[in-house]
Amino acid sequence: MTGPIDGRPREPRLPPGQIITRKWPILHYGNVPRIDPSQWRFRVFGAVEAPYEFDWAEFAAMERREVTADIHCVTRWSRYDNRFSGVPVQPLLARARPTAAARFVLVHAAPDFTTNLPLSDLDRPANLLATHHDGEPLTPEHGGPVRLTVPHLYFWKSAKWVTGFELLEEDYPGFWEQNGYHERGDPWGEERYGSDDYIRMRRGPRR
Ligand SMILES: Nc1nc2c(c(=O)[nH]1)N[C@H]1C(S)=C(S)[C@@H](COP(=O)(O)O)O[C@H]1N2
Ligand SMILES: [Mo]
């Protein structure tokens, strides 16, 4: 699947202002955390009727899927045809039964990383809790043992070392979003930086 939802490539394939790279750059804030799968837990909580969590053994037994996708970093590199495999996000969200008022998600990850996105952007078939890239386990530098992949948005939304989804009724900015990046991050709309209104809002208290 190359496209955002239904497998059709977006046109143009390369979003505006991007350059193709064949290597896979490594980008994150802080040090690479070492995640011990025996200690790892994933939580789905917040504006849901049935919050729950699972451990690595349960995760490893879940139904898996492969998604081939282009990825686009806000720092202007794009990489085509990444073969990710992992557990689809949609059934994980459905199991928690989001409330009717849930509209946003704050994604939690190690070490103390968050990123926010609309629930409608997370609740898509191409999104995975990915463990493998091009047939190899994700290296710790690329988010191993498990990262989120949301290929239709700029890649900062694809949290490495992911640990949970917090459903929210109102938007709340994550780490890069508090530092000026856009609340949604559509590469074809060049949604790189937040608007002045969003920059004002992101300083507000967490509700
Ligand atoms: N936990 C965590 N995930 C993160 C980040 C981070 O700082 N911490 N940075 C994001 C950014 S800005 C990018 S561009 C991608 C880079 O992923 P890569 O290093 O595998 O290319 O990871 C995203 N996921
Ligand atoms: Mo980034």
Side-chain angles (χ1 to χ4, degrees):
M1 178 178 291
T2 300
I5 309 177
D6 53 11
R8 278 179 290 121
R10 287 278 290 263
E11 290 298 336
R13 184 171 182 181
L14 189 66
Q18 297 293 111
I19 296 163
I20 294 171
T21 175
R22 291 181 178 281
K23 292 179 301 186
W24 189 11
I26 292 167
L27 278 166
H28 52 263
Y29 181 78
N31 297 321
V32 174
R34 300 290 148 171
I35 311 292
D36 176 356
S38 74
Q39 302 295 314
W40 181 85
R41 299 281 183 283
F42 193 92
R43 289 176 68 206
V44 186
F45 63 108
V48 297
E49 285 167 16
Y52 69 100
E53 66 170 47
F54 51 86
D55 64 11
W56 192 265
E58 188 179 345
F59 177 61
M62 288 177 183
E63 197 171 323
R64 299 173 58 82
R65 144 158 216 215
E66 200 169 89
V67 172
T68 299
D70 301 345
I71 57 180
H72 310 288
C73 179
V74 71
T75 61
R76 300 187 183 271
W77 57 264
S78 291
R79 190 176 188 278
Y80 285 171
D81 293 324
N82 298 272
R83 193 159 50 87
F84 290 108
S85 69
V87 171
V89 162
Q90 281 190 310
L92 300 177
L93 290 169
R95 176 173 163 190
R97 299 204 306 275
T99 65
R103 287 175 51 229
F104 298 93
V105 182
L106 192 61
V107 178
H108 291 262
D112 264 336
F113 182 79
T114 51
T115 185
N116 59 302
L117 70 176
L119 177 56
S120 56
D121 280 309
L122 187 62
D123 192 7
R124 293 188 184 211
N127 300 340
L128 300 176
L129 293 191
T131 59
H132 288 67
H133 176 267
D134 289 350
E136 299 291 331
L138 283 170
T139 61
E141 290 73 20
H142 283 299
V146 56
R147 78 176 300 160
L148 178 64
T149 51
V150 179
H152 74 288
L153 298 179
Y154 282 127
F155 210 42
W156 86 79
K157 304 286 182 182
S158 292
K160 309 198 263 196
W161 318 294
V162 67
T163 56
F165 296 146
E166 180 179 3
L167 283 88
L168 301 174
E169 296 182 0
E170 291 183 63
D171 201 5
Y172 184 82
F175 176 80
W176 290 113
E177 293 82 2
Q178 288 182 30
N179 287 285
Y181 283 171
H182 196 274
E183 58 270 33
R184 176 147 190 266
D186 172 19
W188 285 269
E190 286 214 79
E191 293 175 342
R192 297 178 192 274
Y193 307 107
S195 66
D196 289 347
D197 281 352
Y198 188 69
I199 287 163
R200 273 191 287 278
M201 173 233 156
R202 74 182 194 235
R203 306 234 178 260
R206 176 117 187 244
R207 278 154 299 181

